Each structure stands twice: as C-alpha cells, then as structure tokens.
Amino acid sequence: MNLKTDDMKGKFGLIGTNISHSKNPLLFKAAYSKYDFTFDLVDSPDFDDAMKKVTAMDLSGVNVTTPFKDKAYFAATKRDILCNTIEASNLLLIKNGEIFAYNTDYYGVKDTLAHYNGSNVKTLIIGCGGAGRAAALAVKDLSHKVSIANRTFDKADNYARKIGATAISFSQAAGTLEEFDIIFNKLS
C-alpha cells in the first residue's frame, strides 16, 4: 500500500471537529515548502459531511483527528495492518476513488519511546479512542507492561485483551499513578 508523493495531486487537509485553531497548515507548509502543495482545514461535526467536502475539494489525502479516527478506518477501502489492529486511522490517502487508511499515531509513540523498551517499563494509557489504542499498541510492541484506563471500562478491557495488556478503572488508575514510568493522556 505504498503511495508515492508523485502520485498525489498536491491538495491535502485535516478533517475533524472544532479545528479552526489547528497549526497543521503552517506545519505542513514548512515541511513541504519545496512542493506546490496546499493544505486546508475541513471542519465539520459530521464525518460523512467532512468526506463530502474532501471529495468536492478534490483532496489527495487528509489527516484525521477527533472525533473521526474510528469512522475513517471504516470508510477506507484498503487499510494497513496497524489500522486493522487499532481499528482507527489518522491518515487517509485517496487515489482513483480508493481510500487508503494508515495509522501514523502508532509510529509517533513508538519512535519517540524506542529507547524506553523492555518489560520493566510500566505505561498507563488514559483513553481508549483511536489515539489511545495506537499508543497502547506501540508501547506494547516495545515490550512495556501496559495498562489502559477508559471512561468505559469494557472498551478498555476488550482492547487490552486483544493486545495482551491490562485494563484498569479510572479510580484504580488515579490511586496508582506513581507506579507508572510513563503516562499518556489520550482523552479528548
């Protein structure tokens, strides 16, 4: 599922809700200043509406933020292996009517913490949405002892079982914070 920069039209964006404050257009412009690319914000409270705007704007790809990462995964026609485990996508690339889903949140966490690998590292993930699941899988793949706390315990428990982690309640997490080496707050 490798798409090359040359395959893209050069029109990209960010979809999400209440994103008018986002610095993504400035970051994108700085990172890709040698290309004739554009980057637009597609702010909508509804995923389907946001994707209609993406199509109308003829965008080649979009970063996906809250609250659309789960819906982005299911909207894709092709998904990378990480998306299938995490069941969320934060990057959609569009080519010839197909939507390719990726999860780069995973790599952001894993690459940042690569020097903190091993089973002696205890990590708490607070939140089990798309970003929380990506973070949990990334640190699990670094061999951390992973605990996941979420507003809905069953959601955390189901995902924890899937990746070989542990689910804990919010109250249990609050009472044991000092036991963790790393804490991620992935609540919106």
Side-chain angles (χ1 to χ4, degrees):
M1 264 191 9
N2 286 339
L3 294 178
K4 297 178 183 142
T5 306
D6 297 340
D7 295 336
M8 302 289 115
K9 296 176 193 127
K11 296 167 70 175
F12 301 93
L14 170 69
I15 63 171
T17 300
N18 299 321
I19 57 172
S20 61
H21 66 281
S22 174
K23 302 295 184 219
N24 279 24
L26 294 172
L27 295 169
F28 187 88
K29 186 175 182 180
Y32 297 100
S33 61
K34 67 180 184 177
Y35 296 99
D36 187 26
F37 289 168
T38 62
F39 193 93
D40 296 297
L41 297 178
V42 182
D43 196 332
S44 178
D46 179 74
F47 177 78
D48 292 331
D49 176 64
M51 289 305 291
K52 285 178 187 172
K53 291 177 182 178
V54 166
T55 300
M57 295 168 73
D58 199 25
L59 300 181
S60 291
V62 290
N63 293 112
V64 181
T65 192
T66 304
F68 298 148
K69 292 181 182 189
D70 292 357
K71 290 180 181 179
Y73 166 79
F74 289 106
T77 52
K78 295 191 178 190
R79 302 168 186 93
D80 75 357
I81 193 165
L82 287 173
C83 285
N84 287 330
T85 301
I86 299 165
E87 294 185 3
S89 172
N90 71 326
L91 175 63
L92 297 176
L93 297 178
I94 303 154
K95 181 163 180 170
N96 298 328
E98 289 201 271
I99 302 172
F100 299 81
Y102 300 90
N103 192 302
T104 62
D105 287 336
Y106 170 91
Y107 295 109
V109 171
K110 189 172 181 191
D111 292 350
T112 300
L113 297 178
H115 59 289
Y116 288 108
N117 70 15
S119 60
N120 292 330
V121 181
K122 291 180 69 180
T123 301
L124 172 63
I125 309 295
I126 302 171
C128 197
R133 293 192 306 269
L137 182 61
V139 294
K140 184 65 182 163
D141 285 352
L142 289 171
S143 300
H144 292 202
K145 291 179 184 168
V146 180
S147 296
I148 305 169
N150 192 54
R151 292 179 186 116
T152 308
F153 178 81
D154 288 346
K155 184 175 181 180
D157 190 47
N158 289 337
Y159 189 68
R161 289 173 192 267
K162 180 178 181 177
I163 67 167
T166 303
I168 60 176
S169 68
F170 267 6
S171 59
Q172 185 180 359
T176 59
L177 292 177
E178 67 281 347
E179 294 178 17
F180 293 96
D181 300 303
I182 299 170
I183 300 172
F184 282 95
N185 181 2
K186 293 297 186 175
L187 295 175
S188 57

